[in-house]
């Protein structure tokens, strides 16, 4: 009998066999290239586009970081942004951010939701705004939700939106910034573990911007009623898959960007659990694995800078159906993340784009679309290779 067999037997002599020592997630480097695709420019010229959403009539709305909302007519963006949008704070990563259309609005008047940084360099916060698009213009613009406390500086606002199957809304909020940035009397980073503030969390809201009923952390003393999950650093990609599961990508520190499977009530660890290192000290931030905290499904080292996340069900690429597509700012690519039916990551590939990818969405036509983060940003469409 070998030593290994004796060990295995010993593990089974108790009340039950212990589960095999769980395999720890290994960080992913840049994956191999995907083949069989090409990108085509649909339109271009918007300065640093950030988010995109399709109207029920098939037209596309695109936000720009500087605060403009543009509509794509045919192959050209209207040269003038829509009027009436609130002033946004555009310092650092701040600006007009994500956009989403109410999934229940199919006729002429549609509710349009936008996330943005509002305020000044000294006092700003992530904000959710709603307007009604009547086919030509946006009206009845109002603020639905504001993070309950100001911060200073231009780091880590989030902020992406995704609708759940029941018509409620998830909104991501960044942790507020890197040390020595503070929010209140605490390092901003540590606010991600503080359920009494919104920083570093995903919020679960009604379509009117109120706390969705039944949020799982409400029973925890002191948890703000909007918080759905926490321990996040800065989520800039979020989507829902065909099974209704929510996936989100977040920026880690230096290394340690993550893909997480989001479930209500879970603590995703930041800054106690991470695969990254502090920018200033290069020391690891937290531990790779912390009991009681939910670890990522993918940890990328080095950091691609993920922004925009789509779940693909289209016909152009049958072999890619059921995969996630994650835009990369620093990596200038899109990562295809293959999933099995149970939501396990089974592989990754890389689609090199050559420009910073800010958002990825599947259009109503089933095609994959990207926007690039440039002075003259492009709307790209992915097609099978000729
Ligand atoms: Ca984490």
């Amino acid at each position: 009998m070998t030593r290994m067999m004796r060990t295995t037997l010993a593990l089974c002599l108790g009340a039950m066999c212990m589960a095999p020592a769980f395999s720890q997630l290994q960080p992913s480097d840049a994956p191999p290239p995907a083949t069989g695709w090409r990108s085509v420019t649909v339109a271009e010229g918007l300065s640093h586009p950030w988010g995109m959403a399709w109207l029920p009539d098939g037209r596309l709305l695109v936000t720009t970081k500087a605060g403009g909302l543009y509509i794509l007519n045919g192959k050209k963006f209207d040269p003038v942004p829509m009027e009436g949008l609130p002033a946004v704070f555009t310092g650092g990563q701040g600006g007009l951010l994500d956009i989403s259309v109410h999934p229940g609005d199919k006729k002429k008047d549609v509710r349009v939701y936008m996330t943005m940084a509002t305020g000044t360099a000294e006092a700003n916060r992530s904000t959710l705004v709603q307007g009604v698009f009547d086919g030509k213009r946006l009206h009845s613009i109002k603020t639905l939700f504001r993070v309950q406390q100001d911060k200073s500086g231009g780091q880590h606002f989030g902020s992406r939106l995704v609708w759940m199957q029941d018509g409620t809304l998830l909104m991501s909020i960044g942790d507020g910034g890197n040390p020595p940035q503070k929010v209140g009397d605490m390092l901003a980073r540590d606010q991600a573990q503080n359920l009494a503030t919104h920083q570093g969390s995903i919020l679960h809201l009604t379509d009117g911007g109120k706390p969705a009923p039944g949020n799982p952390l409400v029973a925890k003393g002191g948890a703000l009623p909007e918080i759905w999950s926490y321990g996040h650093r800065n989520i800039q990609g979020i989507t829902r898959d065909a099974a209704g599961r929510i996936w989100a990508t977040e920026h880690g520190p230096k290394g340690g960007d993550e893909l997480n499977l989001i479930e209500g009530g879970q603590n995703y660890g930041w800054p106690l659990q991470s695969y990254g290192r502090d920018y200033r000290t290069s020391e690891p931030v937290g531990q790779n694995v912390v009991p009681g905290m939910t670890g990522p499904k993918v940890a990328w080292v080095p950091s691609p800078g993920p922004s925009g996340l789509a779940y693909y069900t289209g016909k152009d690429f049958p072999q890619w159906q059921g995969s996630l597509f994650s835009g990369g700012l620093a990596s200038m690519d899109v990562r295809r993340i293959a999933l099995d039916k149970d939501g396990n990551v089974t592989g990754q590939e890389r689609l090199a784009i050559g420009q910073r990818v800010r958002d990825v969405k599947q259009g109503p036509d089933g095609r994959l679309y990207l926007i690039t983060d440039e002075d003259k940003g492009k709307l790209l469409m992915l097609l099978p290779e000729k």
Side-chain angles (χ1 to χ4, degrees), residues 61-95:
L61 296 172
V62 178
T63 59
T64 63
K65 183 177 173 295
L69 174 61
Y70 293 84
I71 190 160
L72 182 71
N73 276 313
K75 293 202 160 190
K76 287 207 164 157
F77 290 106
D78 273 1
V80 179
M82 280 189 218
E83 290 179 358
L85 264 73
V88 299
F89 167 64
T90 59
Q93 299 161 357

Side-chain angles (χ1 to χ4, degrees), residues 287-311:
Q287 309 288 320
N288 289 168
V289 177
V290 178
M293 297 185 182
T294 305
K297 294 288 189 178
V298 174
W300 285 292
V301 180
S303 295
S307 189
L309 187 66
Y311 178 76

Side-chain angles (χ1 to χ4, degrees), residues 322-335:
S323 293
L324 296 168
F325 288 81
S326 170
L329 293 164
S331 58
M332 299 192 181
D333 65 12
V334 173
R335 303 279 165 95

Side-chain angles (χ1 to χ4, degrees), residues 104-249:
D105 292 351
K106 304 292 185 197
K107 292 188 180 161
K108 185 164 170 277
D109 292 319
V110 297
R111 284 166 286 179
V112 175
Y113 295 71
M114 287 170 283
T115 62
M116 58 189 67
T118 55
T120 64
E122 294 74 35
N124 56 64
R125 58 183 84 186
S126 303
T127 299
L128 176 66
V129 166
Q130 181 200 65
V132 177
F133 185 70
D134 66 6
K136 286 186 176 168
R137 58 184 280 271
L138 202 65
H139 64 83
S140 307
I141 297 169
K142 58 185 178 185
T143 296
L144 292 189
F145 174 83
R146 302 170 76 211
V147 163
Q148 98 288 16
Q149 134 198 66
D150 279 329
K151 70 175 193 67
S152 64
Q155 291 184 329
H156 303 184
F157 295 93
S159 173
R160 290 282 180 193
L161 296 170
V162 70
W163 295 92
M164 300 188 77
Q165 283 174 313
D166 65 358
T168 56
L169 184 63
L170 299 180
M171 173 179 178
S172 67
I173 308 291
D175 71 1
N178 294 319
Q181 174 75 44
K182 284 192 163 186
V183 172
D185 57 1
M186 210 185 264
L187 278 180
R189 165 188 286 182
D190 294 333
Q191 294 285 6
Q193 291 293 320
N194 180 5
L195 288 167
T197 61
H198 292 123
Q199 276 85 18
S201 64
I202 295 176
L203 310 180
H204 184 208
L205 306 170
T206 67
D207 63 5
K210 303 289 183 230
N215 279 341
L217 293 164
V218 170
K220 270 199 180 184
L224 290 175
E226 297 88 359
I227 296 177
W228 177 246
S229 62
Y230 65 110
H232 300 292
R233 183 169 176 276
N234 197 22
I235 291 175
Q236 292 195 347
I238 193 163
T239 194
R240 194 180 82 210
D241 72 16
R245 289 178 294 234
I246 301 295
W247 297 86
T249 50

Side-chain angles (χ1 to χ4, degrees), residues 40-49 52 62 77 355-356 358-359 369-381:
V40 174
T41 301
V42 178
E44 57 190 315
L46 291 187
S47 175
H48 298 279
M52 56 179 163
V62 178
F77 290 106
Q355 277 133 7
R356 291 162 55 83
R358 176 58 81 183
D359 200 9
Y369 290 88
L370 327 173
I371 48 178
T372 63
D373 179 43
E374 301 170 88
D375 284 339
K376 295 191 174 180
K378 294 184 185 68
L379 172 69
L380 303 175
M381 174 171 70

